[in-house]
Amino acid sequence: MTIPAPIISGPMAIEKEWIDYNGHLNMAYYNVLFDRCSDQAFELMGMGPNYAKERRLTIYTAEVHVCYVQELHLDHKVNVSFQLIDHDEKRLRAYQEIRHVDGWLAATSESLSLHVDMEGPKVAPFPADVMAQVEAMRAAHATLPMPERAGRSIGIRRKSA
């Protein structure tokens, strides 16, 4: 199987219930869109719903940094991308973008996910078969440049006097 680099979702619609009192997509639902695409990537790495059900192993999100670049509205359709930018024996670092189907950037997300044994729950190493799939995705995504917006931190820039 060829692994897409990056993984790109099919078009997703903005749902009416997701629009807030400002008339645009509420901040929480950007994460829903990112999560739906992440689920596709996790499935490709062998960590979908059956993995949790049958093997009692899963992925938990430890940290997320979202940048809201441009508003989304009810009539918009978007594609979401997923790029695996790093991993180790227990963690995945991913970068994602939400783009309007016309191509403009709406939001970015960088996340750190943990592989979890649900019996604890506790962070645990990937089994060998899953690690092989993680490494295959990382190898496919290693051909992509490091995203310019990855690694950002939150701060207030001060003008020097």
Side-chain angles (χ1 to χ4, degrees), residues 28-61:
Y29 295 101
Y30 286 82
N31 284 304
V32 170
L33 295 166
F34 285 126
D35 195 50
R36 287 180 178 175
C37 183
S38 291
D39 283 346
Q40 293 174 16
F42 296 149
E43 184 75 43
L44 285 173
M45 290 184 279
M47 296 180 281
N50 288 338
Y51 184 67
K53 182 179 178 184
E54 296 166 6
R55 295 176 75 173
R56 304 291 298 149
L57 299 167
T58 193
I59 294 293
Y60 282 10
T61 302

Side-chain angles (χ1 to χ4, degrees), residues 131-145:
M131 179 57 93
Q133 292 176 274
V134 169
E135 289 173 344
M137 182 173 289
R138 179 65 193 116
H141 290 190
T143 63
L144 299 168

Side-chain angles (χ1 to χ4, degrees), residues 16 28-29 32 50 58 61 66 70 82 86 93 100 102-103 106 109 127 131 135-138 142 149 159:
K16 183 179 178 184
Y29 295 101
V32 170
N50 288 338
T58 193
T61 302
V66 176
Q70 192 164 337
F82 179 99
D86 199 3
R93 179 180 169 208
H100 186 276
D102 289 343
S109 176
M131 179 57 93
E135 289 173 344
M137 182 173 289
R138 179 65 193 116
R149 296 180 68 92
K159 294 182 181 180

Side-chain angles (χ1 to χ4, degrees), residues 18-134:
W18 298 355
I19 302 300
D20 65 18
Y21 56 82
N22 294 312
H24 60 241
L25 184 63
N26 179 275
M27 63 179 280
Y29 295 101
Y30 286 82
N31 284 304
V32 170
L33 295 166
F34 285 126
D35 195 50
R36 287 180 178 175
C37 183
S38 291
D39 283 346
Q40 293 174 16
F42 296 149
E43 184 75 43
L44 285 173
M45 290 184 279
M47 296 180 281
N50 288 338
Y51 184 67
K53 182 179 178 184
E54 296 166 6
R55 295 176 75 173
R56 304 291 298 149
L57 299 167
T58 193
I59 294 293
Y60 282 10
T61 302
E63 183 175 347
V64 176
H65 184 157
V66 176
C67 293
Y68 304 94
V69 178
Q70 192 164 337
E71 291 180 4
L72 289 170
H73 298 276
L74 182 59
D75 61 338
H76 291 162
K77 295 221 181 322
V78 299
N79 295 105
V80 183
S81 65
F82 179 99
Q83 179 180 347
L84 184 60
I85 56 177
D86 199 3
H87 76 283
D88 65 15
E89 69 279 355
K90 299 177 184 178
R91 298 174 294 182
L92 303 172
R93 179 180 169 208
Y95 174 81
Q96 294 183 268
E97 293 183 343
I98 297 175
R99 289 190 174 271
H100 186 276
V101 292
D102 289 343
W104 50 264
L105 182 64
T108 65
S109 176
E110 188 172 355
S111 62
L112 181 68
S113 299
L114 307 174
H115 185 257
V116 172
D117 178 338
M118 296 168 73
E119 298 305 319
K122 63 183 178 196
V123 178
F126 296 105
D129 61 319
V130 171
M131 179 57 93
Q133 292 176 274
V134 169

